[in-house]
Amino acid sequence: MNWLRSIIMPEIQGWQHARDVDDLFMFILYVSIILYAIIAIGVGYFVWKYRRRRENEVTPDFSHNTMLEIVWTVIPTIPILVMFFWGFSTYMHARVAPADALEIKVVARKWGWDFTYPNGMTFGQEMHVPAGRPVKLLMISQDVIHDFYVPDFRIKQDVVPNRYSTIWFEAEGPGEHVVFCAEYCGLDHSNMLAKLVVDTEDQYQQWLERKAEEVMNMPLPELGKLLYVSKGCNSCHSVDGSRIQGPSFLGIWGQTHRFTDGTSAVVDEDYVRESVLQPAAKIVTGYEPVMPSFQGLLREREIQALAEYIKSLQP
Ligand code: HEC
Ligand SMILES: [Cu+2]
């Protein structure tokens, strides 16, 4: 009956778990079809057999049949118990990652995914993993509820704010897969996609090195743009002039800003550096002192990059 499977489910390119999920799905489908057929045929047969043939016809008065009742209770219970134990063990398998899994941190936000690798680096909307190695995702949302969904792997897990959730998989071979957000999370929900690239172990290591090198050699404004997103400045600072929690970065370079203590300063490299390392030192008038310090979280080159990026934002 593989033709039925090929109609209703996309081809699996994932891993054993995906096949288990499909097998269970097909088992439930077949059991449902068989039960439906027995009931539908039975109904049809009895409607025909006990149709009214004569005026004033009276049917025999049965109250029950113990044997029949035991049979129709016990027999359907068996496949249902199979469904439960099979489903439970498949579910547990997907929940509990092996202890030696490669851990990738995932941050979901409106509307994208950030993937942080064991070397501490984050490189944007493409996730790379090695084939043949369990990969565990430690996920959290920066804003609303999202849902990490890879149809090819048959895995799906809510990603919520204030609490970590995890999911794991082990891709069998190299290939490309799509990550969707499966929780309606606002305007650009349908564009909240990422590419999941499965490499061989060697390709994966090379990709990590090449990306790390790219970041090291990236022009400063570009690196700044990357950090603006990956370090979360974008959740409080816009680049289009609109006010979020903090002032927009658009066109502030070279301006004189006033602070709550009555002093003022020109927005330049020193000011940006101080804002990032000691945000409480100067509070822009009209704003709350809510910015966290990035002391120890940004390298000198990265601070320069952020300053260059802000400098590049002219209306
Ligand atoms: C939790 C919100 C929040 C985050 C995250 C945040 N900031 Fe801020 N930032 C603020 C607020 C609010 C102000 C205004 C009050 C103040 O001066 O502290 C501000 C002020 C600034 C200023 C001065 C702006 C001006 O108009 O004078 C700079 C520069 C700045 N932030 C840079 C950054 C950078 C770079 C990052 C990311 C590495 C970042 N901020 C992350 C909230 C945030
Ligand atoms: Cu989402």
Side-chain angles (χ1 to χ4, degrees), residues 231-233 235-237 245-247 249 252 257 267 271-272 275-276 279 282-284 287-292 294 298 306 310:
K231 298 292 174 188
C233 318
S235 58
C236 298
H237 297 283
Q245 289 212 51
F249 287 159
I252 63 168
H257 282 185
V267 179
Y271 174 67
V272 170
S275 295
V276 167
K282 296 188 175 77
I283 308 297
V284 185
Y287 291 90
E288 298 293 318
V290 293
M291 177 164 160
F294 288 83
L298 290 168
L306 283 163
I310 294 172

Side-chain angles (χ1 to χ4, degrees), residues 220-281:
L220 286 178
E222 248 176 73
L223 175 60
K225 187 174 182 181
L226 202 77
L227 291 165
Y228 165 73
V229 175
S230 66
K231 298 292 174 188
C233 318
N234 59 345
S235 58
C236 298
H237 297 283
S238 80
V239 290
D240 62 2
S242 59
R243 176 188 173 130
I244 321 176
Q245 289 212 51
S248 176
F249 287 159
L250 184 70
I252 63 168
W253 194 263
Q255 304 281 6
T256 304
H257 282 185
R258 311 208 139 273
F259 309 113
T260 45
D261 61 1
T263 59
S264 62
V266 171
V267 179
D268 58 8
E269 286 86 352
D270 261 328
Y271 174 67
V272 170
R273 186 165 185 279
E274 187 189 57
S275 295
V276 167
L277 299 180
Q278 288 141 347

Side-chain angles (χ1 to χ4, degrees), residues 18-294:
R19 274 183 288 276
D20 290 345
V21 170
D22 283 15
D23 289 345
L24 175 59
F25 179 88
M26 294 314 285
F27 174 76
I28 294 174
L29 183 67
Y30 293 147
V31 168
S32 309
I33 290 173
I34 292 166
L35 285 179
Y36 173 77
I38 293 172
I39 292 167
I41 292 169
V43 167
Y45 173 70
F46 288 125
V47 162
W48 171 78
K49 178 157 189 221
Y50 296 106
R51 69 193 183 282
R52 196 167 78 157
R53 284 173 245 229
R54 269 171 276 112
E55 284 285 313
N56 304 325
E57 186 184 14
V58 180
T59 51
D61 180 22
F62 283 120
S63 69
H64 70 282
N65 181 324
T66 309
M67 195 57 210
L68 196 58
E69 281 168 21
I70 289 175
V71 167
W72 80 39
T73 305
V74 171
I75 291 182
T77 304
I78 296 168
I80 285 167
L81 285 176
V82 171
M83 282 174 205
F84 171 74
F85 286 107
W86 191 348
F88 187 65
S89 74
T90 307
Y91 176 78
M92 287 312 282
H93 180 258
R95 299 301 328 144
V96 186
D100 62 344
L102 171 75
E103 194 173 283
I104 296 180
K105 312 260 189 315
V106 179
V107 176
R109 59 186 157 74
K110 293 194 237 170
W111 289 275
W113 306 93
D114 298 322
F115 306 105
T116 304
Y117 295 86
N119 64 2
M121 304 194 87
T122 309
F123 313 111
Q125 298 303 297
E126 204 178 277
M127 180 185 191
H128 281 244
V129 298
R133 196 147 45 116
V135 176
K136 174 180 169 184
L137 306 178
L138 187 68
M139 309 188 287
I140 196 156
S141 165
Q142 196 174 289
D143 36 53
V144 299
I145 302 177
H146 300 278
D147 194 329
F148 187 90
Y149 179 32
V150 187
D152 284 349
F153 291 173
R154 311 287 193 263
I155 56 168
K156 192 192 225 179
Q157 173 62 49
D158 266 12
V159 183
V160 300
N162 296 323
R163 191 178 137 187
Y164 289 105
S165 54
T166 63
I167 191 89
W168 77 282
F169 61 88
E170 181 178 334
E172 277 167 358
E176 282 190 9
H177 310 272
V178 184
V179 177
F180 292 91
C181 175
E183 185 71 56
Y184 180 63
C185 55
L187 190 66
D188 262 345
H189 163 68
S190 58
N191 278 330
M192 196 169 157
L193 306 169
K195 190 150 85 170
L196 200 172
V197 181
V198 182
D199 295 326
T200 62
E201 185 72 41
D202 279 356
Q203 281 170 341
Y204 167 73
Q205 295 299 347
Q206 282 164 14
W207 178 83
L208 268 189
E209 274 164 36
R210 200 178 62 238
K211 274 297 197 182
E213 193 144 316
E214 241 174 69
V215 168
M216 295 313 288
N217 298 327
M218 201 177 253
L220 286 178
E222 248 176 73
L223 175 60
K225 187 174 182 181
L226 202 77
L227 291 165
Y228 165 73
V229 175
S230 66
K231 298 292 174 188
C233 318
N234 59 345
S235 58
C236 298
H237 297 283
S238 80
V239 290
D240 62 2
S242 59
R243 176 188 173 130
I244 321 176
Q245 289 212 51
S248 176
F249 287 159
L250 184 70
I252 63 168
W253 194 263
Q255 304 281 6
T256 304
H257 282 185
R258 311 208 139 273
F259 309 113
T260 45
D261 61 1
T263 59
S264 62
V266 171
V267 179
D268 58 8
E269 286 86 352
D270 261 328
Y271 174 67
V272 170
R273 186 165 185 279
E274 187 189 57
S275 295
V276 167
L277 299 180
Q278 288 141 347
K282 296 188 175 77
I283 308 297
V284 185
T285 336
Y287 291 90
E288 298 293 318
V290 293
M291 177 164 160
S293 167
F294 288 83

